[in-house]
Amino acid sequence: MPATRKIVMTTKATPLWGNAEVEVFGERLRDARLIQRLKSGDIAKRAGVSQSWYSKLEHAMSTVLESDRAQGLAHALDFPVGFLSSPPVTPVQRGSLLFRAKKSLAKSEEDQLVCWARLVGDLIHSAEPKLRLPFMRIPRIPSGMPPAEAARATREALGIGNDEPVPHLIRTLERGGVYVATIDFDVDLHARNHDAFSTWIGPLLDIPLIGVRATESWERTRMSVAHELGHLAMHHSRREGDLEREAYEFAAEFLLPLHVLKQEWPESTTLSSLMPLKRLYGMSLASLVEHGYRNGLMSGGHRTSMYKQMSNRRDHATGERLRVREPGWRDREVERPKLVATVAEKAFGGTASVEGLTTKIFSWRADYVSKLLEGQVTDWARSLTLASEGDQRENLAQVVQLRAVGTRRGRA
Amino acid sequence: MGSPLLLRRLASAYDRELSLLHQLLDDSVQKVAEMTSSAVKHPNGPAMSALARTELLGFAQASLAVRRSRLRLKSCGDEWVRVGLKGSEVRPRLRMRPPTAELVEASLFDEATLRGPAGSVVLMWNWDPGRGCLRSLALTRVESMLRWGIQCSILEEIPISASAAGLAEDPFHGSIPLGASNDDDDLSDLVGVWDEDDDIQSERESSDARDEEDRNDDEGDSTVGER
């Protein structure tokens, strides 16, 4: 708990008449604001309160407010009051996230990702009492162990053979107790400057979570997930050193161990001669080139030449440069997770709508829950999100109809 | 050269390699069929053969599976492909099946049989122009390769299948490994639901129930304990 945080001791009072009181939690207020990347000043203005007072609310553990006030805040944040008044259960903090991200990742984007991690954490927390969840099998790698060795230890812990490919990385990790959330960050949801993040969720911060931005590239998705796995295994408590380089080395070794790479490396290395390795081990050509170069299988000049070829040549089907869309981009499906949806389905399977599901998970806003489920590939998740989309379309149709009526009246 | 026994032994000892060849050839033929799909007329036999040969050699050169197997493909002259099988002295040629190819009924005591097995070992492939894919691949012993286009008598023929199962077991065949699809694993066994009835039942209740079952067994079956 930061020292600056002001803790307000509160008691709930429910008068027999007049305005009831609601206990609002600072962390929930912040989550509701930050997941939308809004500024506290804007919320204060919308709610008709001073910014300093609103800021105090966010920094307090909880505050008892009159029901009208709480409703006003909920309206300004566009989140249900039920969410604001739910005690926070997922203590993920900013700074605990590790990324495969551009350096331009803004603080607000990081805050937003923390909120997504909390949403998944809340869902797992709500479901946990009803379920036997998978056993976590990610080893805690002692600091100082080289990334390649760490990758080998992790492969072993996950039951992957010495030289076996990993056919479906996300599914392998889910079987090892890692939760994965694929989120399609569109224009409204921002957070476009990252590929993936990882953190630990649950009240004891002992459940690994990987968040991946939804892309159309299976190569990128696999590398991002493997990279985050490296962070989870090696950087649980360590933050010093070149963590990103270590995670890249880990990812390459995890997907394609060096002894296999050496054994299979073609005598004359060309883009086409690397294709079988790409298909079998599920690594991009660019990553294979890097892996080979880093391990002395190809010279610097050769590596540059390969990159130049990829930059100059174009894919016949799409016309895009190979650097943007590598050959073999259609060879595999883009990996998508299903453990989060499976857990939700098993715990709250009777729920027929996303709105119904939100009531079980601390009243998170339905569109965020829907977004989370859209990234999961189970029939249940699909049916729920399709139904939700149908409702939205219906609502939209009604809005359009109302507008049309209004227009006619205006003309008359 | 060749004998029925040799041919069968060859097919059995190199079934993986021949299946791999089937797969590569199918891929090459399909690619050529796709390349020529917009042509007014299907390419005729030799043209198809030449195009497929080029593609096949390209695929084989880039294939990890070929690199790891005992199969080696080399061009032979301008038209042929020689199929090398490491450890075997027989290096059959690969050739498109001529329209004159005809299986000859083996007869006892004819001159050729009395002289001993004769002929050449050839891998013959044929394509299905309608479907644009490989129709067949067979390990054959032909009587003679002279005047091949005019007359081709096949003395023995062993069809080669793609044998996908055999190849799939080998994780090194260079294609996408099994389990790579999102639908391959539904995680149904991974998350369990606490069975409320079992959980509510106390240890004492469980013991009582077990004791009751045991007693019923003893009382119900008079043979228990007799021996």
Side-chain angles (χ1 to χ4, degrees), chain B residues 44-46 95-103 124-126 135 147-154:
Chain B
N44 58 19
R95 193 73 169 107
M96 198 170 181
R97 191 184 188 97
T100 54
E102 193 183 13
L103 193 62
M124 280 191 198
W125 64 273
N126 206 2
R135 179 185 284 161
R147 294 158 61 85
W148 170 280
I150 297 164
Q151 191 189 4
C152 175
S153 303
I154 300 173

mmCIF file with all atom_site columns, all heavy atoms in Angstrom, chain B residues 44-46 95-103 124-126 135 147-154:
data_model
loop_
_atom_site.group_PDB
_atom_site.id
_atom_site.type_symbol
_atom_site.label_atom_id
_atom_site.label_alt_id
_atom_site.label_comp_id
_atom_site.label_asym_id
_atom_site.label_entity_id
_atom_site.label_seq_id
_atom_site.pdbx_PDB_ins_code
_atom_site.Cartn_x
_atom_site.Cartn_y
_atom_site.Cartn_z
_atom_site.occupancy
_atom_site.B_iso_or_equiv
_atom_site.pdbx_formal_charge
_atom_site.auth_seq_id
_atom_site.auth_comp_id
_atom_site.auth_asym_id
_atom_site.auth_atom_id
_atom_site.pdbx_PDB_model_num
ATOM 1   N N   . ASN B 1 44  ? -0.800 -31.077 -71.514 1.00 0.00 ? 44  ASN B N   1
ATOM 2   C CA  . ASN B 1 44  ? -0.762 -32.507 -71.814 1.00 0.00 ? 44  ASN B CA  1
ATOM 3   C C   . ASN B 1 44  ? 0.240  -33.221 -70.906 1.00 0.00 ? 44  ASN B C   1
ATOM 4   O O   . ASN B 1 44  ? 0.936  -32.583 -70.108 1.00 0.00 ? 44  ASN B O   1
ATOM 5   C CB  . ASN B 1 44  ? -0.444 -32.742 -73.297 1.00 0.00 ? 44  ASN B CB  1
ATOM 6   C CG  . ASN B 1 44  ? 0.871  -32.112 -73.674 1.00 0.00 ? 44  ASN B CG  1
ATOM 7   O OD1 . ASN B 1 44  ? 1.678  -31.829 -72.801 1.00 0.00 ? 44  ASN B OD1 1
ATOM 8   N ND2 . ASN B 1 44  ? 1.095  -31.873 -74.954 1.00 0.00 ? 44  ASN B ND2 1
ATOM 9   N N   . GLY B 1 45  ? 0.314  -34.496 -71.027 1.00 0.00 ? 45  GLY B N   1
ATOM 10  C CA  . GLY B 1 45  ? 1.116  -35.305 -70.114 1.00 0.00 ? 45  GLY B CA  1
ATOM 11  C C   . GLY B 1 45  ? 2.538  -34.821 -69.922 1.00 0.00 ? 45  GLY B C   1
ATOM 12  O O   . GLY B 1 45  ? 2.896  -34.383 -68.832 1.00 0.00 ? 45  GLY B O   1
ATOM 13  N N   . PRO B 1 46  ? 3.351  -34.814 -70.954 1.00 0.00 ? 46  PRO B N   1
ATOM 14  C CA  . PRO B 1 46  ? 4.755  -34.456 -70.759 1.00 0.00 ? 46  PRO B CA  1
ATOM 15  C C   . PRO B 1 46  ? 4.940  -33.046 -70.214 1.00 0.00 ? 46  PRO B C   1
ATOM 16  O O   . PRO B 1 46  ? 5.815  -32.801 -69.397 1.00 0.00 ? 46  PRO B O   1
ATOM 17  C CB  . PRO B 1 46  ? 5.336  -34.586 -72.167 1.00 0.00 ? 46  PRO B CB  1
ATOM 18  C CG  . PRO B 1 46  ? 4.412  -35.489 -72.886 1.00 0.00 ? 46  PRO B CG  1
ATOM 19  C CD  . PRO B 1 46  ? 3.064  -35.260 -72.299 1.00 0.00 ? 46  PRO B CD  1
ATOM 20  N N   . ARG B 1 95  ? 8.341  -41.219 -63.067 1.00 0.00 ? 95  ARG B N   1
ATOM 21  C CA  . ARG B 1 95  ? 7.876  -40.829 -64.395 1.00 0.00 ? 95  ARG B CA  1
ATOM 22  C C   . ARG B 1 95  ? 6.363  -40.780 -64.409 1.00 0.00 ? 95  ARG B C   1
ATOM 23  O O   . ARG B 1 95  ? 5.691  -41.543 -63.708 1.00 0.00 ? 95  ARG B O   1
ATOM 24  C CB  . ARG B 1 95  ? 8.371  -41.884 -65.414 1.00 0.00 ? 95  ARG B CB  1
ATOM 25  C CG  . ARG B 1 95  ? 8.241  -41.445 -66.858 1.00 0.00 ? 95  ARG B CG  1
ATOM 26  C CD  . ARG B 1 95  ? 9.291  -40.387 -67.178 1.00 0.00 ? 95  ARG B CD  1
ATOM 27  N NE  . ARG B 1 95  ? 9.368  -40.124 -68.600 1.00 0.00 ? 95  ARG B NE  1
ATOM 28  C CZ  . ARG B 1 95  ? 8.905  -39.017 -69.177 1.00 0.00 ? 95  ARG B CZ  1
ATOM 29  N NH1 . ARG B 1 95  ? 8.288  -38.107 -68.458 1.00 0.00 ? 95  ARG B NH1 1
ATOM 30  N NH2 . ARG B 1 95  ? 9.056  -38.830 -70.476 1.00 0.00 ? 95  ARG B NH2 1
ATOM 31  N N   . MET B 1 96  ? 5.858  -39.874 -65.202 1.00 0.00 ? 96  MET B N   1
ATOM 32  C CA  . MET B 1 96  ? 4.402  -39.811 -65.364 1.00 0.00 ? 96  MET B CA  1
ATOM 33  C C   . MET B 1 96  ? 3.916  -41.081 -66.083 1.00 0.00 ? 96  MET B C   1
ATOM 34  O O   . MET B 1 96  ? 4.564  -41.548 -67.011 1.00 0.00 ? 96  MET B O   1
ATOM 35  C CB  . MET B 1 96  ? 4.022  -38.587 -66.186 1.00 0.00 ? 96  MET B CB  1
ATOM 36  C CG  . MET B 1 96  ? 2.590  -38.211 -66.037 1.00 0.00 ? 96  MET B CG  1
ATOM 37  S SD  . MET B 1 96  ? 2.300  -36.625 -66.803 1.00 0.00 ? 96  MET B SD  1
ATOM 38  C CE  . MET B 1 96  ? 0.590  -36.415 -66.452 1.00 0.00 ? 96  MET B CE  1
ATOM 39  N N   . ARG B 1 97  ? 2.826  -41.608 -65.629 1.00 0.00 ? 97  ARG B N   1
ATOM 40  C CA  . ARG B 1 97  ? 2.321  -42.865 -66.180 1.00 0.00 ? 97  ARG B CA  1
ATOM 41  C C   . ARG B 1 97  ? 1.880  -42.658 -67.636 1.00 0.00 ? 97  ARG B C   1
ATOM 42  O O   . ARG B 1 97  ? 1.016  -41.815 -67.911 1.00 0.00 ? 97  ARG B O   1
ATOM 43  C CB  . ARG B 1 97  ? 1.118  -43.301 -65.337 1.00 0.00 ? 97  ARG B CB  1
ATOM 44  C CG  . ARG B 1 97  ? 0.628  -44.694 -65.582 1.00 0.00 ? 97  ARG B CG  1
ATOM 45  C CD  . ARG B 1 97  ? -0.633 -44.942 -64.746 1.00 0.00 ? 97  ARG B CD  1
ATOM 46  N NE  . ARG B 1 97  ? -1.002 -46.344 -64.822 1.00 0.00 ? 97  ARG B NE  1
ATOM 47  C CZ  . ARG B 1 97  ? -0.687 -47.247 -63.907 1.00 0.00 ? 97  ARG B CZ  1
ATOM 48  N NH1 . ARG B 1 97  ? -0.004 -46.896 -62.843 1.00 0.00 ? 97  ARG B NH1 1
ATOM 49  N NH2 . ARG B 1 97  ? -1.041 -48.498 -64.054 1.00 0.00 ? 97  ARG B NH2 1
ATOM 50  N N   . PRO B 1 98  ? 2.462  -43.420 -68.560 1.00 0.00 ? 98  PRO B N   1
ATOM 51  C CA  . PRO B 1 98  ? 2.062  -43.227 -69.963 1.00 0.00 ? 98  PRO B CA  1
ATOM 52  C C   . PRO B 1 98  ? 0.668  -43.812 -70.210 1.00 0.00 ? 98  PRO B C   1
ATOM 53  O O   . PRO B 1 98  ? 0.259  -44.752 -69.516 1.00 0.00 ? 98  PRO B O   1
ATOM 54  C CB  . PRO B 1 98  ? 3.139  -44.002 -70.743 1.00 0.00 ? 98  PRO B CB  1
ATOM 55  C CG  . PRO B 1 98  ? 3.625  -45.017 -69.797 1.00 0.00 ? 98  PRO B CG  1
ATOM 56  C CD  . PRO B 1 98  ? 3.468  -44.469 -68.419 1.00 0.00 ? 98  PRO B CD  1
ATOM 57  N N   . PRO B 1 99  ? -0.046 -43.297 -71.210 1.00 0.00 ? 99  PRO B N   1
ATOM 58  C CA  . PRO B 1 99  ? -1.402 -43.805 -71.473 1.00 0.00 ? 99  PRO B CA  1
ATOM 59  C C   . PRO B 1 99  ? -1.393 -45.269 -71.898 1.00 0.00 ? 99  PRO B C   1
ATOM 60  O O   . PRO B 1 99  ? -2.401 -45.961 -71.767 1.00 0.00 ? 99  PRO B O   1
ATOM 61  C CB  . PRO B 1 99  ? -1.904 -42.924 -72.619 1.00 0.00 ? 99  PRO B CB  1
ATOM 62  C CG  . PRO B 1 99  ? -0.875 -41.890 -72.870 1.00 0.00 ? 99  PRO B CG  1
ATOM 63  C CD  . PRO B 1 99  ? 0.342  -42.189 -72.098 1.00 0.00 ? 99  PRO B CD  1
ATOM 64  N N   . THR B 1 100 ? -0.253 -45.728 -72.364 1.00 0.00 ? 100 THR B N   1
ATOM 65  C CA  . THR B 1 100 ? -0.188 -47.125 -72.841 1.00 0.00 ? 100 THR B CA  1
ATOM 66  C C   . THR B 1 100 ? 0.081  -48.122 -71.713 1.00 0.00 ? 100 THR B C   1
ATOM 67  O O   . THR B 1 100 ? 0.121  -49.328 -71.957 1.00 0.00 ? 100 THR B O   1
ATOM 68  C CB  . THR B 1 100 ? 0.942  -47.258 -73.868 1.00 0.00 ? 100 THR B CB  1
ATOM 69  O OG1 . THR B 1 100 ? 2.138  -46.771 -73.264 1.00 0.00 ? 100 THR B OG1 1
ATOM 70  C CG2 . THR B 1 100 ? 0.661  -46.486 -75.138 1.00 0.00 ? 100 THR B CG2 1
ATOM 71  N N   . ALA B 1 101 ? 0.279  -47.614 -70.517 1.00 0.00 ? 101 ALA B N   1
ATOM 72  C CA  . ALA B 1 101 ? 0.634  -48.517 -69.418 1.00 0.00 ? 101 ALA B CA  1
ATOM 73  C C   . ALA B 1 101 ? -0.469 -49.537 -69.185 1.00 0.00 ? 101 ALA B C   1
ATOM 74  O O   . ALA B 1 101 ? -1.655 -49.181 -69.085 1.00 0.00 ? 101 ALA B O   1
ATOM 75  C CB  . ALA B 1 101 ? 0.869  -47.706 -68.147 1.00 0.00 ? 101 ALA B CB  1
ATOM 76  N N   . GLU B 1 102 ? -0.065 -50.801 -69.093 1.00 0.00 ? 102 GLU B N   1
ATOM 77  C CA  . GLU B 1 102 ? -1.054 -51.870 -68.969 1.00 0.00 ? 102 GLU B CA  1
ATOM 78  C C   . GLU B 1 102 ? -0.467 -52.985 -68.112 1.00 0.00 ? 102 GLU B C   1
ATOM 79  O O   . GLU B 1 102 ? 0.679  -53.405 -68.332 1.00 0.00 ? 102 GLU B O   1
ATOM 80  C CB  . GLU B 1 102 ? -1.385 -52.407 -70.365 1.00 0.00 ? 102 GLU B CB  1
ATOM 81  C CG  . GLU B 1 102 ? -2.598 -53.276 -70.396 1.00 0.00 ? 102 GLU B CG  1
ATOM 82  C CD  . GLU B 1 102 ? -2.833 -53.835 -71.790 1.00 0.00 ? 102 GLU B CD  1
ATOM 83  O OE1 . GLU B 1 102 ? -1.931 -53.745 -72.652 1.00 0.00 ? 102 GLU B OE1 1
ATOM 84  O OE2 . GLU B 1 102 ? -3.907 -54.393 -71.998 1.00 0.00 ? 102 GLU B OE2 1
ATOM 85  N N   . LEU B 1 103 ? -1.241 -53.395 -67.142 1.00 0.00 ? 103 LEU B N   1
ATOM 86  C CA  . LEU B 1 103 ? -0.766 -54.470 -66.277 1.00 0.00 ? 103 LEU B CA  1
ATOM 87  C C   . LEU B 1 103 ? -0.873 -55.800 -67.031 1.00 0.00 ? 103 LEU B C   1
ATOM 88  O O   . LEU B 1 103 ? -1.939 -56.139 -67.540 1.00 0.00 ? 103 LEU B O   1
ATOM 89  C CB  . LEU B 1 103 ? -1.596 -54.512 -64.997 1.00 0.00 ? 103 LEU B CB  1
ATOM 90  C CG  . LEU B 1 103 ? -1.058 -55.370 -63.860 1.00 0.00 ? 103 LEU B CG  1
ATOM 91  C CD1 . LEU B 1 103 ? 0.297  -54.877 -63.365 1.00 0.00 ? 103 LEU B CD1 1
ATOM 92  C CD2 . LEU B 1 103 ? -2.036 -55.403 -62.698 1.00 0.00 ? 103 LEU B CD2 1
ATOM 93  N N   . MET B 1 124 ? 5.580  -44.658 -60.935 1.00 0.00 ? 124 MET B N   1
ATOM 94  C CA  . MET B 1 124 ? 4.695  -44.012 -61.909 1.00 0.00 ? 124 MET B CA  1
ATOM 95  C C   . MET B 1 124 ? 3.635  -43.183 -61.197 1.00 0.00 ? 124 MET B C   1
ATOM 96  O O   . MET B 1 124 ? 3.005  -43.664 -60.262 1.00 0.00 ? 124 MET B O   1
ATOM 97  C CB  . MET B 1 124 ? 3.969  -45.087 -62.714 1.00 0.00 ? 124 MET B CB  1
ATOM 98  C CG  . MET B 1 124 ? 4.774  -45.675 -63.811 1.00 0.00 ? 124 MET B CG  1
ATOM 99  S SD  . MET B 1 124 ? 3.620  -46.642 -64.776 1.00 0.00 ? 124 MET B SD  1
ATOM 100 C CE  . MET B 1 124 ? 4.766  -47.664 -65.656 1.00 0.00 ? 124 MET B CE  1
ATOM 101 N N   . TRP B 1 125 ? 3.493  -41.980 -61.664 1.00 0.00 ? 125 TRP B N   1
ATOM 102 C CA  . TRP B 1 125 ? 2.440  -41.150 -61.074 1.00 0.00 ? 125 TRP B CA  1
ATOM 103 C C   . TRP B 1 125 ? 1.487  -40.685 -62.145 1.00 0.00 ? 125 TRP B C   1
ATOM 104 O O   . TRP B 1 125 ? 1.823  -40.623 -63.325 1.00 0.00 ? 125 TRP B O   1
ATOM 105 C CB  . TRP B 1 125 ? 3.029  -39.977 -60.309 1.00 0.00 ? 125 TRP B CB  1
ATOM 106 C CG  . TRP B 1 125 ? 3.798  -38.977 -61.135 1.00 0.00 ? 125 TRP B CG  1
ATOM 107 C CD1 . TRP B 1 125 ? 5.114  -39.029 -61.458 1.00 0.00 ? 125 TRP B CD1 1
ATOM 108 C CD2 . TRP B 1 125 ? 3.287  -37.789 -61.733 1.00 0.00 ? 125 TRP B CD2 1
ATOM 109 N NE1 . TRP B 1 125 ? 5.457  -37.951 -62.215 1.00 0.00 ? 125 TRP B NE1 1
ATOM 110 C CE2 . TRP B 1 125 ? 4.356  -37.164 -62.398 1.00 0.00 ? 125 TRP B CE2 1
ATOM 111 C CE3 . TRP B 1 125 ? 2.030  -37.187 -61.757 1.00 0.00 ? 125 TRP B CE3 1
ATOM 112 C CZ2 . TRP B 1 125 ? 4.211  -35.965 -63.082 1.00 0.00 ? 125 TRP B CZ2 1
ATOM 113 C CZ3 . TRP B 1 125 ? 1.884  -35.988 -62.433 1.00 0.00 ? 125 TRP B CZ3 1
ATOM 114 C CH2 . TRP B 1 125 ? 2.982  -35.388 -63.095 1.00 0.00 ? 125 TRP B CH2 1
ATOM 115 N N   . ASN B 1 126 ? 0.300  -40.370 -61.689 1.00 0.00 ? 126 ASN B N   1
ATOM 116 C CA  . ASN B 1 126 ? -0.723 -39.930 -62.610 1.00 0.00 ? 126 ASN B CA  1
ATOM 117 C C   . ASN B 1 126 ? -1.535 -38.840 -61.931 1.00 0.00 ? 126 ASN B C   1
ATOM 118 O O   . ASN B 1 126 ? -1.682 -38.843 -60.716 1.00 0.00 ? 126 ASN B O   1
ATOM 119 C CB  . ASN B 1 126 ? -1.634 -41.121 -62.943 1.00 0.00 ? 126 ASN B CB  1
ATOM 120 C CG  . ASN B 1 126 ? -2.287 -40.944 -64.282 1.00 0.00 ? 126 ASN B CG  1
ATOM 121 O OD1 . ASN B 1 126 ? -2.037 -39.953 -64.964 1.00 0.00 ? 126 ASN B OD1 1
ATOM 122 N ND2 . ASN B 1 126 ? -3.120 -41.901 -64.656 1.00 0.00 ? 126 ASN B ND2 1
ATOM 123 N N   . ARG B 1 135 ? -3.508 -38.504 -58.740 1.00 0.00 ? 135 ARG B N   1
ATOM 124 C CA  . ARG B 1 135 ? -4.474 -39.604 -58.740 1.00 0.00 ? 135 ARG B CA  1
ATOM 125 C C   . ARG B 1 135 ? -3.827 -40.847 -58.146 1.00 0.00 ? 135 ARG B C   1
ATOM 126 O O   . ARG B 1 135 ? -4.419 -41.548 -57.336 1.00 0.00 ? 135 ARG B O   1
ATOM 127 C CB  . ARG B 1 135 ? -4.975 -39.890 -60.148 1.00 0.00 ? 135 ARG B CB  1
ATOM 128 C CG  . ARG B 1 135 ? -5.974 -41.046 -60.211 1.00 0.00 ? 135 ARG B CG  1
ATOM 129 C CD  . ARG B 1 135 ? -6.358 -41.389 -61.624 1.00 0.00 ? 135 ARG B CD  1
ATOM 130 N NE  . ARG B 1 135 ? -7.286 -40.417 -62.165 1.00 0.00 ? 135 ARG B NE  1
ATOM 131 C CZ  . ARG B 1 135 ? -7.510 -40.261 -63.464 1.00 0.00 ? 135 ARG B CZ  1
ATOM 132 N NH1 . ARG B 1 135 ? -6.847 -40.995 -64.331 1.00 0.00 ? 135 ARG B NH1 1
ATOM 133 N NH2 . ARG B 1 135 ? -8.370 -39.373 -63.887 1.00 0.00 ? 135 ARG B NH2 1
ATOM 134 N N   . ARG B 1 147 ? 10.697 -47.676 -76.082 1.00 0.00 ? 147 ARG B N   1
ATOM 135 C CA  . ARG B 1 147 ? 9.433  -47.344 -76.753 1.00 0.00 ? 147 ARG B CA  1
ATOM 136 C C   . ARG B 1 147 ? 8.292  -47.187 -75.723 1.00 0.00 ? 147 ARG B C   1
ATOM 137 O O   . ARG B 1 147 ? 7.175  -47.680 -75.884 1.00 0.00 ? 147 ARG B O   1
ATOM 138 C CB  . ARG B 1 147 ? 9.086  -48.440 -77.775 1.00 0.00 ? 147 ARG B CB  1
ATOM 139 C CG  . ARG B 1 147 ? 10.094 -48.501 -78.921 1.00 0.00 ? 147 ARG B CG  1
ATOM 140 C CD  . ARG B 1 147 ? 10.083 -49.851 -79.600 1.00 0.00 ? 147 ARG B CD  1
ATOM 141 N NE  . ARG B 1 147 ? 8.782  -50.168 -80.177 1.00 0.00 ? 147 ARG B NE  1
ATOM 142 C CZ  . ARG B 1 147 ? 8.386  -49.774 -81.373 1.00 0.00 ? 147 ARG B CZ  1
ATOM 143 N NH1 . ARG B 1 147 ? 9.194  -49.059 -82.124 1.00 0.00 ? 147 ARG B NH1 1
ATOM 144 N NH2 . ARG B 1 147 ? 7.206  -50.114 -81.833 1.00 0.00 ? 147 ARG B NH2 1
ATOM 145 N N   . TRP B 1 148 ? 8.647  -46.538 -74.650 1.00 0.00 ? 148 TRP B N   1
ATOM 146 C CA  . TRP B 1 148 ? 7.773  -46.348 -73.482 1.00 0.00 ? 148 TRP B CA  1
ATOM 147 C C   . TRP B 1 148 ? 6.399  -45.782 -73.860 1.00 0.00 ? 148 TRP B C   1
ATOM 148 O O   . TRP B 1 148 ? 5.362  -46.235 -73.360 1.00 0.00 ? 148 TRP B O   1
ATOM 149 C CB  . TRP B 1 148 ? 8.522  -45.402 -72.522 1.00 0.00 ? 148 TRP B CB  1
ATOM 150 C CG  . TRP B 1 148 ? 7.767  -44.854 -71.370 1.00 0.00 ? 148 TRP B CG  1
ATOM 151 C CD1 . TRP B 1 148 ? 6.902  -43.810 -71.383 1.00 0.00 ? 148 TRP B CD1 1
ATOM 152 C CD2 . TRP B 1 148 ? 7.810  -45.322 -70.029 1.00 0.00 ? 148 TRP B CD2 1
ATOM 153 N NE1 . TRP B 1 148 ? 6.420  -43.571 -70.131 1.00 0.00 ? 148 TRP B NE1 1
ATOM 154 C CE2 . TRP B 1 148 ? 6.967  -44.493 -69.261 1.00 0.00 ? 148 TRP B CE2 1
ATOM 155 C CE3 . TRP B 1 148 ? 8.490  -46.349 -69.381 1.00 0.00 ? 148 TRP B CE3 1
ATOM 156 C CZ2 . TRP B 1 148 ? 6.774  -44.647 -67.907 1.00 0.00 ? 148 TRP B CZ2 1
ATOM 157 C CZ3 . TRP B 1 148 ? 8.298  -46.497 -68.017 1.00 0.00 ? 148 TRP B CZ3 1
ATOM 158 C CH2 . TRP B 1 148 ? 7.447  -45.667 -67.300 1.00 0.00 ? 148 TRP B CH2 1
ATOM 159 N N   . GLY B 1 149 ? 6.402  -44.816 -74.743 1.00 0.00 ? 149 GLY B N   1
ATOM 160 C CA  . GLY B 1 149 ? 5.140  -44.165 -75.113 1.00 0.00 ? 149 GLY B CA  1
ATOM 161 C C   . GLY B 1 149 ? 4.244  -45.067 -75.946 1.00 0.00 ? 149 GLY B C   1
ATOM 162 O O   . GLY B 1 149 ? 3.022  -44.933 -75.925 1.00 0.00 ? 149 GLY B O   1
ATOM 163 N N   . ILE B 1 150 ? 4.853  -45.980 -76.674 1.00 0.00 ? 150 ILE B N   1
ATOM 164 C CA  . ILE B 1 150 ? 4.071  -46.829 -77.584 1.00 0.00 ? 150 ILE B CA  1
ATOM 165 C C   . ILE B 1 150 ? 3.529  -48.059 -76.869 1.00 0.00 ? 150 ILE B C   1
ATOM 166 O O   . ILE B 1 150 ? 2.398  -48.469 -77.031 1.00 0.00 ? 150 ILE B O   1
ATOM 167 C CB  . ILE B 1 150 ? 4.941  -47.239 -78.799 1.00 0.00 ? 150 ILE B CB  1
ATOM 168 C CG1 . ILE B 1 150 ? 5.305  -45.962 -79.560 1.00 0.00 ? 150 ILE B CG1 1
ATOM 169 C CG2 . ILE B 1 150 ? 4.223  -48.223 -79.699 1.00 0.00 ? 150 ILE B CG2 1
ATOM 170 C CD1 . ILE B 1 150 ? 6.431  -46.139 -80.522 1.00 0.00 ? 150 ILE B CD1 1
ATOM 171 N N   . GLN B 1 151 ? 4.370  -48.618 -76.056 1.00 0.00 ? 151 GLN B N   1
ATOM 172 C CA  . GLN B 1 151 ? 3.908  -49.797 -75.316 1.00 0.00 ? 151 GLN B CA  1
ATOM 173 C C   . GLN B 1 151 ? 4.594  -49.851 -73.952 1.00 0.00 ? 151 GLN B C   1
ATOM 174 O O   . GLN B 1 151 ? 5.817  -49.725 -73.864 1.00 0.00 ? 151 GLN B O   1
ATOM 175 C CB  . GLN B 1 151 ? 4.230  -51.071 -76.097 1.00 0.00 ? 151 GLN B CB  1
ATOM 176 C CG  . GLN B 1 151 ? 3.551  -52.267 -75.499 1.00 0.00 ? 151 GLN B CG  1
ATOM 177 C CD  . GLN B 1 151 ? 4.028  -53.565 -76.124 1.00 0.00 ? 151 GLN B CD  1
ATOM 178 O OE1 . GLN B 1 151 ? 4.920  -53.575 -76.968 1.00 0.00 ? 151 GLN B OE1 1
ATOM 179 N NE2 . GLN B 1 151 ? 3.432  -54.653 -75.697 1.00 0.00 ? 151 GLN B NE2 1
ATOM 180 N N   . CYS B 1 152 ? 3.795  -50.013 -72.919 1.00 0.00 ? 152 CYS B N   1
ATOM 181 C CA  . CYS B 1 152 ? 4.379  -50.099 -71.577 1.00 0.00 ? 152 CYS B CA  1
ATOM 182 C C   . CYS B 1 152 ? 3.661  -51.212 -70.813 1.00 0.00 ? 152 CYS B C   1
ATOM 183 O O   . CYS B 1 152 ? 2.507  -51.047 -70.396 1.00 0.00 ? 152 CYS B O   1
ATOM 184 C CB  . CYS B 1 152 ? 4.239  -48.761 -70.853 1.00 0.00 ? 152 CYS B CB  1
ATOM 185 S SG  . CYS B 1 152 ? 4.793  -48.820 -69.162 1.00 0.00 ? 152 CYS B SG  1
ATOM 186 N N   . SER B 1 153 ? 4.347  -52.326 -70.680 1.00 0.00 ? 153 SER B N   1
ATOM 187 C CA  . SER B 1 153 ? 3.747  -53.465 -69.966 1.00 0.00 ? 153 SER B CA  1
ATOM 188 C C   . SER B 1 153 ? 4.235  -53.465 -68.525 1.00 0.00 ? 153 SER B C   1
ATOM 189 O O   . SER B 1 153 ? 5.439  -53.466 -68.260 1.00 0.00 ? 153 SER B O   1
ATOM 190 C CB  . SER B 1 153 ? 4.159  -54.780 -70.625 1.00 0.00 ? 153 SER B CB  1
ATOM 191 O OG  . SER B 1 153 ? 3.783  -54.766 -71.971 1.00 0.00 ? 153 SER B OG  1
ATOM 192 N N   . ILE B 1 154 ? 3.284  -53.464 -67.635 1.00 0.00 ? 154 ILE B N   1
ATOM 193 C CA  . ILE B 1 154 ? 3.639  -53.470 -66.209 1.00 0.00 ? 154 ILE B CA  1
ATOM 194 C C   . ILE B 1 154 ? 3.553  -54.906 -65.696 1.00 0.00 ? 154 ILE B C   1
ATOM 195 O O   . ILE B 1 154 ? 2.501  -55.544 -65.781 1.00 0.00 ? 154 ILE B O   1
ATOM 196 C CB  . ILE B 1 154 ? 2.689  -52.552 -65.402 1.00 0.00 ? 154 ILE B CB  1
ATOM 197 C CG1 . ILE B 1 154 ? 2.776  -51.112 -65.915 1.00 0.00 ? 154 ILE B CG1 1
ATOM 198 C CG2 . ILE B 1 154 ? 3.012  -52.587 -63.919 1.00 0.00 ? 154 ILE B CG2 1
ATOM 199 C CD1 . ILE B 1 154 ? 1.767  -50.160 -65.299 1.00 0.00 ? 154 ILE B CD1 1
#
